[in-house]
Short mmCIF file of all heavy atoms in Angstrom, two decimals:
data_model
loop_
_atom_site.label_atom_id
_atom_site.label_comp_id
_atom_site.label_asym_id
_atom_site.label_seq_id
_atom_site.Cartn_x
_atom_site.Cartn_y
_atom_site.Cartn_z
N ARG A 1 7.12 8.70 -55.56
CA ARG A 1 7.36 10.13 -55.67
C ARG A 1 8.42 10.43 -56.71
O ARG A 1 9.26 9.58 -57.03
CB ARG A 1 7.79 10.72 -54.33
CG ARG A 1 6.64 10.75 -53.31
CD ARG A 1 7.02 11.44 -52.01
NE ARG A 1 5.81 11.70 -51.25
CZ ARG A 1 5.07 12.79 -51.35
NH1 ARG A 1 5.44 13.75 -52.18
NH2 ARG A 1 3.96 12.93 -50.64
N ILE A 2 8.37 11.66 -57.20
CA ILE A 2 9.41 12.19 -58.09
C ILE A 2 10.07 13.34 -57.37
O ILE A 2 9.40 14.26 -56.85
CB ILE A 2 8.81 12.70 -59.42
CG1 ILE A 2 8.22 11.51 -60.20
CG2 ILE A 2 9.87 13.39 -60.26
CD1 ILE A 2 7.58 11.92 -61.50
N ALA A 3 11.39 13.32 -57.29
CA ALA A 3 12.11 14.34 -56.54
C ALA A 3 12.06 15.69 -57.26
O ALA A 3 12.05 15.76 -58.51
CB ALA A 3 13.56 13.91 -56.35
N VAL A 4 12.01 16.75 -56.48
CA VAL A 4 12.17 18.14 -56.95
C VAL A 4 13.50 18.65 -56.43
O VAL A 4 13.73 18.69 -55.20
CB VAL A 4 11.03 19.03 -56.46
CG1 VAL A 4 11.24 20.47 -56.92
CG2 VAL A 4 9.68 18.52 -56.96
N ASP A 5 14.39 19.02 -57.34
CA ASP A 5 15.73 19.41 -56.93
C ASP A 5 16.19 20.60 -57.77
O ASP A 5 16.54 20.44 -58.94
CB ASP A 5 16.69 18.23 -57.09
CG ASP A 5 18.08 18.50 -56.55
OD1 ASP A 5 18.24 19.54 -55.87
OD2 ASP A 5 19.01 17.72 -56.78
N THR A 6 16.16 21.79 -57.18
CA THR A 6 16.59 23.01 -57.88
C THR A 6 17.57 23.73 -56.97
O THR A 6 17.74 23.37 -55.80
CB THR A 6 15.40 23.93 -58.21
OG1 THR A 6 15.04 24.69 -57.02
CG2 THR A 6 14.20 23.15 -58.69
N PRO A 7 18.25 24.77 -57.47
CA PRO A 7 19.16 25.53 -56.60
C PRO A 7 18.48 26.11 -55.37
O PRO A 7 19.14 26.36 -54.36
CB PRO A 7 19.70 26.62 -57.52
CG PRO A 7 19.58 26.05 -58.90
CD PRO A 7 18.34 25.24 -58.87
N ARG A 8 17.16 26.32 -55.43
CA ARG A 8 16.48 27.01 -54.32
C ARG A 8 15.37 26.17 -53.69
O ARG A 8 14.78 26.61 -52.70
CB ARG A 8 15.94 28.35 -54.81
CG ARG A 8 16.95 29.21 -55.55
CD ARG A 8 16.47 30.63 -55.71
NE ARG A 8 16.44 31.32 -54.43
CZ ARG A 8 15.94 32.54 -54.25
NH1 ARG A 8 15.42 33.19 -55.30
NH2 ARG A 8 15.94 33.10 -53.06
N LEU A 9 15.05 25.03 -54.27
CA LEU A 9 13.95 24.21 -53.77
C LEU A 9 14.39 22.76 -53.62
O LEU A 9 15.25 22.27 -54.38
CB LEU A 9 12.76 24.27 -54.72
CG LEU A 9 12.04 25.61 -54.90
CD1 LEU A 9 11.03 25.52 -56.03
CD2 LEU A 9 11.35 26.02 -53.59
N THR A 10 13.76 22.11 -52.68
CA THR A 10 13.92 20.66 -52.55
C THR A 10 12.61 20.08 -52.08
O THR A 10 11.88 20.71 -51.30
CB THR A 10 15.06 20.30 -51.57
OG1 THR A 10 15.19 18.88 -51.50
CG2 THR A 10 14.76 20.82 -50.17
N GLY A 11 12.26 18.90 -52.59
CA GLY A 11 10.99 18.29 -52.22
C GLY A 11 10.65 17.16 -53.15
O GLY A 11 11.55 16.50 -53.72
N SER A 12 9.36 16.91 -53.32
CA SER A 12 8.94 15.81 -54.18
C SER A 12 7.48 15.98 -54.60
O SER A 12 6.71 16.73 -53.99
CB SER A 12 9.11 14.46 -53.46
OG SER A 12 8.32 14.41 -52.27
N ILE A 13 7.12 15.25 -55.66
CA ILE A 13 5.74 15.23 -56.18
C ILE A 13 5.19 13.83 -55.94
O ILE A 13 5.83 12.83 -56.27
CB ILE A 13 5.73 15.54 -57.68
CG1 ILE A 13 6.34 16.92 -57.94
CG2 ILE A 13 4.31 15.46 -58.24
CD1 ILE A 13 6.61 17.20 -59.40
N ALA A 14 4.00 13.75 -55.34
CA ALA A 14 3.37 12.48 -55.11
C ALA A 14 2.67 12.00 -56.38
O ALA A 14 1.89 12.73 -56.99
CB ALA A 14 2.35 12.58 -53.96
N LEU A 15 2.98 10.77 -56.82
CA LEU A 15 2.28 10.24 -57.99
C LEU A 15 0.82 9.97 -57.69
O LEU A 15 -0.01 9.96 -58.61
CB LEU A 15 2.98 8.96 -58.46
CG LEU A 15 4.41 9.16 -59.01
CD1 LEU A 15 4.96 7.82 -59.55
CD2 LEU A 15 4.43 10.19 -60.12
N THR A 16 0.46 9.75 -56.44
CA THR A 16 -0.94 9.63 -56.08
C THR A 16 -1.57 11.01 -56.12
O THR A 16 -1.27 11.88 -55.30
CB THR A 16 -1.10 9.04 -54.68
OG1 THR A 16 -0.54 7.72 -54.65
CG2 THR A 16 -2.59 8.95 -54.29
N GLY A 17 -2.41 11.25 -57.08
CA GLY A 17 -3.03 12.56 -57.26
C GLY A 17 -2.18 13.53 -58.07
O GLY A 17 -2.65 14.60 -58.41
N GLY A 18 -0.92 13.17 -58.31
CA GLY A 18 -0.05 14.10 -59.01
C GLY A 18 0.14 15.40 -58.24
O GLY A 18 0.29 16.48 -58.82
N ARG A 19 0.14 15.30 -56.91
CA ARG A 19 0.17 16.49 -56.07
C ARG A 19 1.59 16.97 -55.85
O ARG A 19 2.51 16.21 -55.58
CB ARG A 19 -0.43 16.19 -54.68
CG ARG A 19 -1.91 15.90 -54.68
CD ARG A 19 -2.44 15.85 -53.25
NE ARG A 19 -1.86 14.76 -52.49
CZ ARG A 19 -2.44 13.56 -52.36
NH1 ARG A 19 -3.59 13.32 -52.95
NH2 ARG A 19 -1.88 12.62 -51.64
N LEU A 20 1.78 18.32 -55.93
CA LEU A 20 2.99 18.94 -55.44
C LEU A 20 2.74 19.26 -53.97
O LEU A 20 2.08 20.25 -53.63
CB LEU A 20 3.30 20.22 -56.22
CG LEU A 20 4.56 20.99 -55.78
CD1 LEU A 20 5.82 20.13 -55.87
CD2 LEU A 20 4.72 22.25 -56.59
N ASP A 21 3.23 18.41 -53.08
CA ASP A 21 2.85 18.50 -51.67
C ASP A 21 4.03 18.39 -50.71
O ASP A 21 3.83 18.19 -49.51
CB ASP A 21 1.84 17.42 -51.34
CG ASP A 21 2.40 16.00 -51.54
OD1 ASP A 21 3.54 15.88 -51.98
OD2 ASP A 21 1.65 15.02 -51.25
N ASP A 22 5.22 18.53 -51.23
CA ASP A 22 6.41 18.40 -50.38
C ASP A 22 7.45 19.37 -50.95
O ASP A 22 8.09 19.08 -51.95
CB ASP A 22 6.93 16.96 -50.41
CG ASP A 22 8.23 16.81 -49.65
OD1 ASP A 22 8.47 17.60 -48.72
OD2 ASP A 22 9.02 15.88 -49.98
N LEU A 23 7.60 20.52 -50.31
CA LEU A 23 8.47 21.56 -50.86
C LEU A 23 9.09 22.38 -49.73
O LEU A 23 8.39 22.86 -48.84
CB LEU A 23 7.68 22.48 -51.78
CG LEU A 23 8.48 23.27 -52.82
CD1 LEU A 23 9.16 22.31 -53.81
CD2 LEU A 23 7.59 24.24 -53.57
N SER A 24 10.41 22.50 -49.77
CA SER A 24 11.15 23.29 -48.78
C SER A 24 12.05 24.29 -49.51
O SER A 24 12.46 24.05 -50.66
CB SER A 24 12.01 22.39 -47.89
OG SER A 24 11.19 21.49 -47.15
N LEU A 25 12.36 25.41 -48.84
CA LEU A 25 13.13 26.49 -49.41
C LEU A 25 14.56 26.43 -48.91
O LEU A 25 14.82 26.64 -47.72
CB LEU A 25 12.50 27.85 -49.07
CG LEU A 25 10.97 27.94 -49.27
CD1 LEU A 25 10.49 29.34 -48.94
CD2 LEU A 25 10.58 27.56 -50.69
N ARG A 26 15.50 26.16 -49.82
CA ARG A 26 16.88 25.95 -49.41
C ARG A 26 17.51 27.23 -48.82
O ARG A 26 18.40 27.13 -47.96
CB ARG A 26 17.72 25.53 -50.62
CG ARG A 26 17.38 24.18 -51.21
CD ARG A 26 18.34 23.86 -52.35
NE ARG A 26 18.00 22.63 -53.05
CZ ARG A 26 18.42 21.42 -52.70
NH1 ARG A 26 19.17 21.26 -51.63
NH2 ARG A 26 18.06 20.35 -53.41
N ASP A 27 17.07 28.41 -49.25
CA ASP A 27 17.76 29.65 -48.87
C ASP A 27 17.28 30.23 -47.54
O ASP A 27 17.84 31.23 -47.08
CB ASP A 27 17.54 30.71 -49.95
CG ASP A 27 18.19 30.31 -51.27
OD1 ASP A 27 19.11 29.48 -51.26
OD2 ASP A 27 17.77 30.85 -52.32
N TYR A 28 16.27 29.65 -46.93
CA TYR A 28 15.69 30.24 -45.72
C TYR A 28 15.60 29.21 -44.60
O TYR A 28 15.23 28.07 -44.83
CB TYR A 28 14.31 30.81 -46.01
CG TYR A 28 14.36 31.93 -47.03
CD1 TYR A 28 14.08 31.69 -48.37
CD2 TYR A 28 14.71 33.23 -46.63
CE1 TYR A 28 14.14 32.70 -49.30
CE2 TYR A 28 14.76 34.25 -47.57
CZ TYR A 28 14.48 33.99 -48.89
OH TYR A 28 14.56 35.00 -49.82
N ARG A 29 15.95 29.67 -43.39
CA ARG A 29 15.93 28.79 -42.24
C ARG A 29 14.88 29.29 -41.24
O ARG A 29 14.43 30.44 -41.29
CB ARG A 29 17.30 28.73 -41.58
CG ARG A 29 18.35 28.11 -42.51
CD ARG A 29 19.67 27.81 -41.81
NE ARG A 29 20.59 27.12 -42.73
CZ ARG A 29 20.58 25.83 -42.95
NH1 ARG A 29 19.75 25.04 -42.27
NH2 ARG A 29 21.44 25.28 -43.81
N GLN A 30 14.52 28.41 -40.32
CA GLN A 30 13.47 28.73 -39.37
C GLN A 30 13.86 29.88 -38.44
O GLN A 30 13.02 30.70 -38.07
CB GLN A 30 13.13 27.49 -38.53
CG GLN A 30 12.63 26.30 -39.31
CD GLN A 30 11.20 26.49 -39.80
OE1 GLN A 30 10.54 27.44 -39.43
NE2 GLN A 30 10.72 25.56 -40.62
N THR A 31 15.12 29.96 -38.07
CA THR A 31 15.61 31.02 -37.19
C THR A 31 16.88 31.60 -37.79
O THR A 31 17.38 31.14 -38.82
CB THR A 31 15.87 30.49 -35.78
OG1 THR A 31 17.02 29.60 -35.83
CG2 THR A 31 14.69 29.73 -35.22
N ALA A 32 17.42 32.61 -37.10
CA ALA A 32 18.67 33.23 -37.56
C ALA A 32 19.88 32.31 -37.35
O ALA A 32 20.97 32.58 -37.88
CB ALA A 32 18.89 34.55 -36.84
N ASP A 33 19.71 31.22 -36.62
CA ASP A 33 20.78 30.25 -36.38
C ASP A 33 21.02 29.47 -37.68
O ASP A 33 20.08 28.87 -38.25
CB ASP A 33 20.39 29.32 -35.26
CG ASP A 33 21.49 28.34 -34.88
OD1 ASP A 33 22.55 28.35 -35.55
OD2 ASP A 33 21.31 27.58 -33.93
N ASP A 34 22.25 29.47 -38.16
CA ASP A 34 22.58 28.78 -39.41
C ASP A 34 22.40 27.27 -39.35
O ASP A 34 22.37 26.59 -40.39
CB ASP A 34 24.04 29.09 -39.81
CG ASP A 34 24.21 30.53 -40.23
OD1 ASP A 34 23.22 31.17 -40.61
OD2 ASP A 34 25.36 31.03 -40.15
N THR A 35 22.27 26.73 -38.13
CA THR A 35 22.09 25.28 -38.00
C THR A 35 20.62 24.87 -37.91
O THR A 35 20.32 23.68 -37.82
CB THR A 35 22.83 24.77 -36.76
OG1 THR A 35 22.27 25.40 -35.58
CG2 THR A 35 24.32 25.13 -36.83
N SER A 36 19.71 25.85 -37.90
CA SER A 36 18.30 25.51 -37.80
C SER A 36 17.79 24.92 -39.11
O SER A 36 18.44 25.04 -40.17
CB SER A 36 17.48 26.76 -37.43
OG SER A 36 17.56 27.72 -38.44
N ALA A 37 16.62 24.28 -39.08
CA ALA A 37 16.07 23.61 -40.25
C ALA A 37 15.61 24.64 -41.29
O ALA A 37 15.25 25.78 -40.94
CB ALA A 37 14.88 22.74 -39.84
N ILE A 38 15.64 24.22 -42.55
CA ILE A 38 15.18 25.11 -43.60
C ILE A 38 13.65 25.18 -43.55
O ILE A 38 12.97 24.34 -42.99
CB ILE A 38 15.64 24.66 -45.00
CG1 ILE A 38 15.11 23.25 -45.33
CG2 ILE A 38 17.15 24.70 -45.09
CD1 ILE A 38 15.48 22.79 -46.73
N VAL A 39 13.12 26.25 -44.13
CA VAL A 39 11.68 26.50 -44.11
C VAL A 39 10.96 25.51 -45.03
O VAL A 39 11.34 25.32 -46.19
CB VAL A 39 11.37 27.94 -44.57
CG1 VAL A 39 9.87 28.15 -44.76
CG2 VAL A 39 11.91 28.93 -43.55
N ARG A 40 9.91 24.89 -44.50
CA ARG A 40 9.10 23.95 -45.30
C ARG A 40 7.80 24.65 -45.64
O ARG A 40 7.05 25.09 -44.77
CB ARG A 40 8.85 22.68 -44.52
CG ARG A 40 8.22 21.59 -45.41
CD ARG A 40 8.17 20.25 -44.68
NE ARG A 40 7.80 19.19 -45.59
CZ ARG A 40 7.62 17.93 -45.23
NH1 ARG A 40 7.78 17.59 -43.97
NH2 ARG A 40 7.31 17.00 -46.12
N LEU A 41 7.50 24.72 -46.92
CA LEU A 41 6.31 25.44 -47.38
C LEU A 41 5.12 24.51 -47.57
O LEU A 41 4.07 24.71 -46.99
CB LEU A 41 6.63 26.19 -48.68
CG LEU A 41 5.49 26.99 -49.29
CD1 LEU A 41 5.03 28.09 -48.35
CD2 LEU A 41 5.92 27.59 -50.64
N LEU A 42 5.27 23.49 -48.42
CA LEU A 42 4.17 22.55 -48.70
C LEU A 42 4.38 21.27 -47.94
O LEU A 42 5.51 20.77 -47.79
CB LEU A 42 4.11 22.28 -50.22
CG LEU A 42 3.90 23.51 -51.10
CD1 LEU A 42 3.76 23.08 -52.58
CD2 LEU A 42 2.68 24.32 -50.68
N ARG A 43 3.25 20.68 -47.48
CA ARG A 43 3.30 19.46 -46.68
C ARG A 43 2.23 18.49 -47.17
O ARG A 43 1.14 18.90 -47.53
CB ARG A 43 3.04 19.78 -45.20
CG ARG A 43 4.10 20.68 -44.57
CD ARG A 43 3.66 21.20 -43.23
NE ARG A 43 4.64 22.10 -42.63
CZ ARG A 43 5.61 21.72 -41.81
NH1 ARG A 43 5.72 20.43 -41.48
NH2 ARG A 43 6.47 22.57 -41.33
N PRO A 44 2.52 17.19 -47.16
CA PRO A 44 1.58 16.19 -47.71
C PRO A 44 0.43 15.91 -46.76
O PRO A 44 0.47 16.15 -45.57
CB PRO A 44 2.46 14.95 -47.90
CG PRO A 44 3.56 15.12 -46.89
CD PRO A 44 3.81 16.59 -46.77
N MET A 45 -0.63 15.35 -47.33
CA MET A 45 -1.76 14.89 -46.53
C MET A 45 -1.31 13.72 -45.65
O MET A 45 -0.43 12.96 -46.00
CB MET A 45 -2.91 14.46 -47.43
CG MET A 45 -3.58 15.60 -48.15
SD MET A 45 -4.96 15.02 -49.14
CE MET A 45 -6.08 14.47 -47.87
N GLY A 46 -1.97 13.63 -44.48
CA GLY A 46 -1.61 12.60 -43.54
C GLY A 46 -0.74 13.12 -42.43
O GLY A 46 -0.63 12.48 -41.39
#
């Protein structure tokens, strides 16, 4: 994989297929609790 690292995104690109399949949004969390996990948008196969 190749890491994706921006001020607002974190994730990776799979070299198998060249897929962008792992992406989370740094600025948004699952709930209003600041300790909750950040929102994950793209998810890999499997």
Side-chain angles (χ1 to χ4, degrees):
R1 291 185 166 271
I2 295 179
V4 177
D5 187 10
T6 80
R8 310 194 68 186
L9 295 171
T10 181
S12 61
I13 301 168
L15 293 184
T16 299
R19 293 190 296 265
L20 179 59
D21 62 358
D22 175 27
L23 202 64
S24 299
L25 313 182
R26 294 183 186 272
D27 296 338
Y28 297 98
R29 297 190 176 275
Q30 299 286 353
T31 69
D33 185 356
D34 292 338
T35 62
S36 63
I38 61 176
V39 171
R40 190 171 190 183
L41 180 62
L42 302 183
R43 298 168 181 268
M45 290 183 66

